[in-house]
Amino acid sequence: MHRENRTAKSICIHHLLNFRDSHVSITIPQENNGSRINQTILTDLVTKKDVQTLQALGGVDGVAYCLETNLEGGINGSAEDITRRQAAFGSNTYGKKQPVKSFSYFVEKAFKDHTIMILLGCAALSLGICIKDQGSTFKESWYTCASISLAVFVLVAFSAIGNWWQDRQLDKLFRVGNNIQIDVIRGCQRQQISIFDVVVGDIVYLKMGDKVPADGLFLDGHSLPVDKSSMAEDRNHNEVNLRQNPFLVSSAKVINGFARMLVTSVGTNTAYGQMIYQTNLISSHKKEKTPLQTRVRKLARSIRKNTDLVIVVLVVVSYFTSNTGDEDGIKEFYGSKTKANDPLNAIKGIAAGAAIIIGTASLESLLIGVKLTLTYAMRRMLVDKLVVRKPSACEAMCSITTICTNKTGTLTLNQMKVKNFWLGRKPLDEVVACSSSSISPHVVDLILQGVALNTVEGACKGSSRLVGFEFFGSSTDKALLSWAALELKMDMKKLKQNYSILLVETFNSHKKRSGVLIKDKDDNTDALHVHWKGATEMILSMCSSSYDASGIMKDLNGEERMKFEQMIDEMAASGLRCVAFAHKRVSLEEGEDLREKRKLEEENLTLLGLAVIEDPCRPEVKEAMEHCRCAGMKIKMITGDNVSTARAIAIKCGILRSGDEDNEGVVVEGEVFRNYTLKERMEKVDNICVLARSSPLDRLLMVQCLKLKGQVVAVSSKNDSLALKEAHVGLSLGIQGTEVSKESSDIIILDDNFATIAVALKWGRCICWVNLIIGVLGALALATEHPTSELMEKPSVGPMERLITNIMWRNLLAQALYQIGALLMLQCRGEPTFGVTEAMDNILIFHTFVLCQVFNVFNARKLEKKNVFKDVYKNWKFLGIVGIMILLQVVMVEFLRQFANTEKLNREEFGPTEKLNWVNWRTCVAIAAVSWPVSTIVKCIPVPQLR
């Protein structure tokens, strides 16, 4: 059991008892829930950076005591403890900017549509005639009004439901994307929790790239500059430390280093939360119009203008027809002899015809279909481990021509394991196997110091079998710690207790090394130890000597250095990664000077050894690479590894094919690329497949060059926020990605897998190729189609290319010509051919038209493939929606003919109501089914691929 905060308790009590003598008055009431401090004090402590109050409370230790937090084991962490803390200090959530939009909001918005307004006018006109006219046309007027009202209800319902559902789905996806996982310690167990579950009193672990989850106080750590630009215009990096500036504010971003913090305020009680509350600037997803929605709306406006023109022509033609007489010369209006109801009935008839045209030509269902497709795709992408933060990114994925991907965890399994450790130029297992050789205990001790103490986070006591410790930190650190515990019997607890860490230089992508200054507590001499680890070429350049296994120090002259470099190159060529360790003793005076300068000794070090680390490639990556290559995309790997290792991994993953690695300029170091002139970069960037030893600046330069070349670029990265923002689509990594990178990205890859990126590309193409079909249910049925590998057989689609492709035009024209011909045949020859009345012929025309649309939904599944039924049985949602369409049509033609205006009410003229018999049904189905062979035949006609 960890020690209790006895010192903190005594300090806190002492300061509380003597606080009346200070210059600041403070009252700390005993809360009803048992807490020893109230929220107001905690909030002001950080927001006002109140050092005096912090000292009066006994410093961080005193605050921890007041919050009942054990500095080593954290809070109790039980359900009761969490509930009590949330009741006392609130939860780590922020209030919404405005209430979630209700369904009535979307209904009101739908009623403002141009089409709906015209239909409502027609319904009102019919209703007025219905009220005034109590004669023979009363029922017909009432049915006309009811039919139009039903059409309005259906359009409004589908529009409102579609928009409401999309809003809810986007809100859910937004919450998933912001559900950050952070490390805390509770009940002496280190664990990951959601950022929303952080409570006051929690001890949180921070590292480079993290976002501070709440307001709090610095406990311990090293080199912790933070960026508070999200809170203010201050873009300077503020150094946080225990003595001068222990205050950490919510939403600040950790630039470097690592630390532990004590949470003092959460949610709306934080400085960030108060800013949101006061300025109403809660971060939320943008309801942006995607490029596809914009283009569809443009098409809808164009068609709507043409529809209005048709309506005007209809009114004019109807007017002249009514006044010049019919085919027998009989006029409808005779001046003063015309009854008052006749013009109204005529206007009602014209309005009804106009309403039919509007309803048929309305693209509201198309717009709804696009929304449903986008929203449904985003929801399904979540199942495929893709969190979409910006809807426009879904469509942009279909236009990607180049993917710049990181290596670790994306192309590899991120399951790093130390394969061997080289002492001098001999592997450790070879030394152990040789009975005549022995390993110097002094060298082993130095290696253990370098492994255990020169790490970002080290270990935490837990359930691991490795000497009672569970290891945390980067995948490299965990691999090294596990190896040292298993192979060298490292006692992590003892090392932590015996050495004091005085200064840390943390690892970053520019230095590619990390260092630490430590002191042995049991050493009575004035000696201190400097340890470095990192990229072999970086560490090797800092060394002037090396240890062998027996502990003998040898000069690292030119010849010996060359042998080391050759040995490292051979391992790198096999795809192995080497991490070098170096050491130097410094005097106490030198150490003080280093601490003052905050910079470790970097010259005349002694090389301790090389850890050889293996990270296998993901087995599915090669196939995903082939899919991307077939789709015309270029893949560029951007990594921090050296050239040899990067080249070997690129070959294993399929980025480089046999013979490509020998081509000049295919594999380039970041420094070389950075030093090119702009002209040279523009000339060579297309040929580069691997950018090794790259920095964030190098990656940003590559993205900028590719964009200037006209490429549509996607970038996957775990910490390059600049490159992610610069790319057309930024893909952050859900597991190893920093919170800063996630905020800068458009899509989060939850499993960090490159194969999942290929799935995102398929979804993008599935959305881009969304079929333009007028009919909400038809659009919804097509929206349920899952992307297939066939989508990756075509080149990328440019964002500014035409909405309707040549292939679409071919299919549309063929189906339109066939349907027009079939319906004209029924209109002109339907009665004598099938032996039906005029009323029944109208029903046959209506029924056949609708069934043609149902059958054409299957054709729309595959725009180019002749077999439109492939895998249709796997999509039960598609089949279910088609079944609903058929069922609704049966109800319409069998029970609601008068609402559909397919049957007149004047039974004296047409006789009793007729029913569709099986012959009529077979006739309609047969005519509609011909659309399938028509689709097959027309797909044999080649068309240019140009859009």
Side-chain angles (χ1 to χ4, degrees), residues 271-517:
Y272 183 64
Q274 290 179 352
M275 181 190 74
I276 291 174
Y277 179 78
Q278 292 169 2
T279 61
N280 210 24
L281 292 176
I282 179 111
S283 173
S284 62
H285 55 277
K286 294 173 65 177
K287 303 296 182 62
E288 57 184 359
K289 289 290 185 297
T290 68
L292 179 61
Q293 288 177 311
T294 302
R295 287 190 287 174
V296 170
R297 285 188 178 277
K298 184 177 180 181
L299 176 64
R301 285 195 297 268
S302 176
I303 294 180
R304 189 165 289 159
K305 290 178 182 177
N306 293 328
T307 302
D308 293 341
L309 179 62
V310 171
I311 293 172
V312 172
V313 173
L314 174 65
V315 172
V316 173
V317 170
S318 298
Y319 171 78
F320 283 106
T321 302
S322 299
N323 284 277
T324 57
D326 58 16
E327 58 185 6
D328 297 325
I330 300 175
K331 292 184 179 182
E332 186 172 353
F333 303 135
Y334 287 93
S336 61
K337 297 181 179 180
T338 301
K339 296 180 180 180
N341 287 345
D342 293 339
L344 291 176
N345 289 330
I347 294 172
K348 184 201 71 173
I350 295 173
I356 292 172
I357 295 175
I358 293 170
T360 304
S362 172
L363 288 186
E364 183 64 28
S365 59
L366 176 59
L367 296 173
I368 296 172
V370 173
K371 291 179 182 179
L372 291 176
T373 300
L374 281 170
T375 308
Y376 183 83
M378 290 167 62
R379 191 66 180 171
R380 288 292 299 272
M381 288 172 76
L382 183 59
V383 177
D384 289 336
K385 297 181 173 61
L386 294 159
V387 176
V388 180
R389 300 184 73 250
K390 295 182 181 178
S392 58
C394 296
E395 298 169 33
M397 289 301 290
C398 76
S399 304
I400 297 300
T401 58
T402 303
I403 303 175
C404 298
T405 178
N406 64 313
K407 185 208 75 174
T408 304
T410 305
L411 302 179
T412 63
L413 290 170
N414 198 25
Q415 296 175 357
M416 293 191 179
K417 182 179 181 181
V418 177
K419 192 173 183 180
N420 213 329
F421 194 94
W422 289 66
L423 292 168
R425 287 191 288 108
K426 288 186 179 181
L428 182 63
D429 53 5
E430 182 180 319
V431 175
V432 173
C434 182
S435 58
S436 61
S437 302
S438 61
I439 303 175
S440 168
H442 174 64
V443 174
V444 173
D445 287 342
L446 291 177
I447 292 172
L448 292 177
Q449 293 173 23
V451 171
L453 304 177
N454 188 9
T455 180
V456 173
E457 297 185 68
C460 176
K461 190 170 183 179
S463 59
S464 175
R465 296 178 182 176
L466 299 176
V467 202
F469 277 87
E470 182 178 0
F471 297 108
F472 293 89
S474 68
S475 53
T476 302
D477 284 344
K478 287 191 288 187
L480 291 168
L481 290 166
S482 299
W483 167 80
L486 288 172
E487 299 296 330
L488 300 182
K489 310 303 179 186
M490 177 183 68
D491 188 338
M492 191 76 176
K493 182 177 181 181
K494 184 177 179 181
L495 284 167
K496 292 282 189 180
Q497 290 175 345
N498 292 346
Y499 290 90
S500 299
I501 298 176
L502 306 178
L503 179 62
V504 173
E505 284 196 34
T506 55
F507 180 92
N508 62 44
S509 56
H510 176 70
K511 296 188 302 183
K512 302 189 186 305
R513 63 184 185 270
S514 63
V516 64
L517 176 66

Side-chain angles (χ1 to χ4, degrees), residues 79-135:
E80 295 79 9
D81 184 37
I82 300 299
T83 302
R84 180 174 63 85
R85 291 175 184 272
Q86 288 180 337
F89 305 110
S91 61
N92 200 28
T93 55
Y94 304 111
K96 289 285 184 181
K97 180 176 72 172
Q98 56 184 5
V100 178
K101 293 183 178 67
S102 63
F103 181 72
S104 60
Y105 168 84
F106 295 102
V107 172
E108 181 183 353
K109 183 178 179 182
F111 268 110
K112 296 178 180 178
D113 182 75
H114 172 78
T115 302
I116 301 298
M117 298 298 290
I118 294 178
L119 289 176
L120 285 174
C122 294
L125 179 62
S126 294
L127 181 62
I129 295 174
C130 177
I131 294 173
K132 180 182 182 301
D133 188 0
Q134 299 295 327

Side-chain angles (χ1 to χ4, degrees), residues 9-28 52-53 55-58:
K9 179 178 180 180
S10 61
I11 293 174
C12 184
I13 293 174
H14 170 76
H15 282 279
L16 291 178
L17 291 175
N18 295 281
F19 203 63
R20 60 180 180 271
D21 298 327
S22 65
H23 296 287
V24 180
S25 61
I26 185 171
T27 303
I28 303 181
Q52 193 173 5
T53 300
Q55 292 174 349
L57 288 171

